[in-house]
Structure formats: structure tokens, C-alpha cells
Amino acid sequence: MNIFILGLRVLSESSTDDDKLEVLLTESLPSNDRKIPTKVQLKQDSEHYVGKLMKGCKENDQILAVGPTRPTPDGHLLMQPMLIVTNQNWSDILAINAFIATGGLGPKSDEVELGDSTVTNRSIAWQTNEGESETCWFKLTAWGELSKQLSDLQPGTPCIAVGKVSTSEKDDKKYLNYNLDKVLYLPRNKVAPKKAADPDAKKVAANAIGSLDFKF
């Protein structure tokens, strides 16, 4: 995974580029006087909730930023923030709703057409480390393009699932829902390696780990 949580100081007010992305230049808050601050450029859609928050940031404001990040050739970081927290919206950090789960996919499940989209429900399993190893399962829900990806992958494929948790109720029973925002799997290969599909393999293969992609 490639998610950074950074305390930052705003260097200048944000601007809007030709692609209607809000751009905010910041630097990391050093842990001591000997540390060299890292320049971090935040980019987000101007109409996105976070993009609107970026517009309100002033020079020397201190903020917390969370999001997928990648390096640039000039030695800076580029982040697409999923969340920024300022003095005005500090309570937003209490509303974070995200899960990151790693494990192997269960039996294949077909896509189902629902309205104008498609949906796939499929289980993922991981091993607990408490006492005797135990296999835990929960069911992922993916829509649209993610639905096809989840349906096509072979059983046993090691994956990293990223999404949000919600609760639904039906016939007086409550159900937990794990709705996917992203699924990361073995690159350029939809066939699981033997060790990943082996029930005795108690961890995800190292080459299953990838990075969250930027939208731009």
C-alpha cells in the first residue's frame, strides 16, 4: 500500500490549474530542528470536498493530510488527499471510514446486473495470529468496473482490499457490508501462484502488494 499520513505546513494559498485541479504547496513538519522539511504538493478536484477545503488554507496553516502519494523527479512528494484536517474541521478525522484487508480470494462469483450497473459479492480470507491459526472470512461487494475485476480473479489470488464499512438491515437482521473502493492483486497475471492458493500458506505473497493509483 502507499498511503501517507503527513503533518504539513502550508507554504502558499492554493491555485486552480488548467485541469480544474486544486493545487496546494506544503512542507512536512519536521520532528526536530535538524530535519529538512519535505515539499509536498497536494492535488485534488476543485469541486471535491477536500479540494474546497484546500481553497480555504492560508500560508503557515498547519494541516494533517491523508492520501495516496508518489515521488516526483525533483525530490518532492505529490499527494491526492482523501482527507485534510484543519482547525476548522478537526472533527472530520473522527469520521474516517476505511478498511484495508489482505488475504486470498474464495470461490469465484459471477457478476449480477443490478439497474444500470453490475455487482459482485465475493469472500476474502486471512489467517489470525492469536493462539491457534484460524481462517476468517468476510464478503466484499464491488460495483461496476471493480465488479468485473473481482469476478475474474482466480480463487486463492492474494489481494489487498480497500473500501468502506456500512451496515444494512433486512428481515430484522443486521449485516455488515464491505464496499470496495480498490482491489490490488498480482500485476499482469490473473492466475494465482501455487503458494498463494495453498491453504498452508499463511501470508499474502510479497508480489501481491501494489500501490493505490492516482485518478489523474
Side-chain angles (χ1 to χ4, degrees):
M1 297 300 299
N2 185 3
I3 294 288
F4 282 46
I5 302 174
L6 299 174
L8 303 171
R9 178 184 293 108
V10 177
L11 296 179
S12 61
E13 294 186 9
S14 69
S15 59
T16 306
D17 66 12
D18 294 338
D19 296 321
K20 297 184 178 179
L21 296 174
E22 204 65 25
V23 181
L24 186 66
L25 184 61
T26 68
E27 65 179 9
S28 63
L29 295 172
S31 56
N32 60 56
D33 292 338
R34 296 183 180 180
K35 296 290 185 181
I36 299 174
T38 301
K39 295 293 190 297
V40 184
Q41 188 180 58
L42 308 181
K43 283 191 175 185
Q44 183 55 274
D45 190 297
S46 295
E47 297 304 314
H48 190 281
Y49 170 67
V50 173
K52 292 178 180 179
L53 287 174
M54 289 165 57
K55 292 179 183 179
C57 291
K58 305 298 183 183
E59 186 177 352
N60 290 322
D61 280 356
Q62 294 184 1
I63 64 175
L64 179 71
V66 182
T69 307
R70 68 184 181 212
T72 65
D74 54 5
H76 298 173
L77 287 175
L78 176 62
M79 174 188 282
Q80 184 183 22
M82 303 181 297
L83 173 71
I84 64 169
V85 181
T86 70
N87 290 333
Q88 286 69 45
N89 72 314
W90 62 268
S91 60
D92 277 7
I93 199 168
L94 302 178
I96 291 177
N97 183 340
F99 72 84
I100 301 175
T102 60
L105 288 179
K108 294 198 71 171
S109 178
D110 293 332
E111 283 188 284
V112 176
E113 291 188 6
L114 196 61
D116 296 331
S117 187
T118 58
V119 61
T120 297
N121 293 300
R122 190 165 182 186
S123 296
I124 188 173
W126 78 97
Q127 298 281 339
T128 63
N129 295 320
E130 299 178 2
E132 295 184 4
S133 292
E134 178 185 1
T135 301
C136 297
W137 295 85
F138 67 89
K139 188 171 289 185
L140 304 174
T141 300
W143 294 83
E145 184 178 345
L146 281 177
S147 170
K148 179 171 177 56
Q149 290 183 32
L150 194 63
S151 176
D152 286 347
L153 293 171
Q154 295 298 318
T157 299
C159 290
I160 300 173
V162 181
K164 297 179 178 65
V165 181
S166 62
T167 302
S168 58
E169 188 171 3
K170 183 178 181 181
D171 299 329
D172 296 326
K173 291 185 179 181
K174 291 185 178 180
Y175 302 89
L176 284 172
N177 309 305
Y178 302 90
N179 301 299
L180 280 182
D181 290 329
K182 186 78 175 180
V183 58
L184 309 173
Y185 50 89
L186 288 171
R188 296 182 296 278
N189 186 358
K190 294 185 178 180
V191 179
K194 292 181 180 179
K195 288 185 178 180
D198 186 345
D200 293 330
K202 297 178 181 178
K203 60 182 180 180
V204 176
N207 56 353
I209 299 174
S211 298
L212 283 177
D213 297 327
F214 285 79
K215 294 178 183 176
F216 45 82

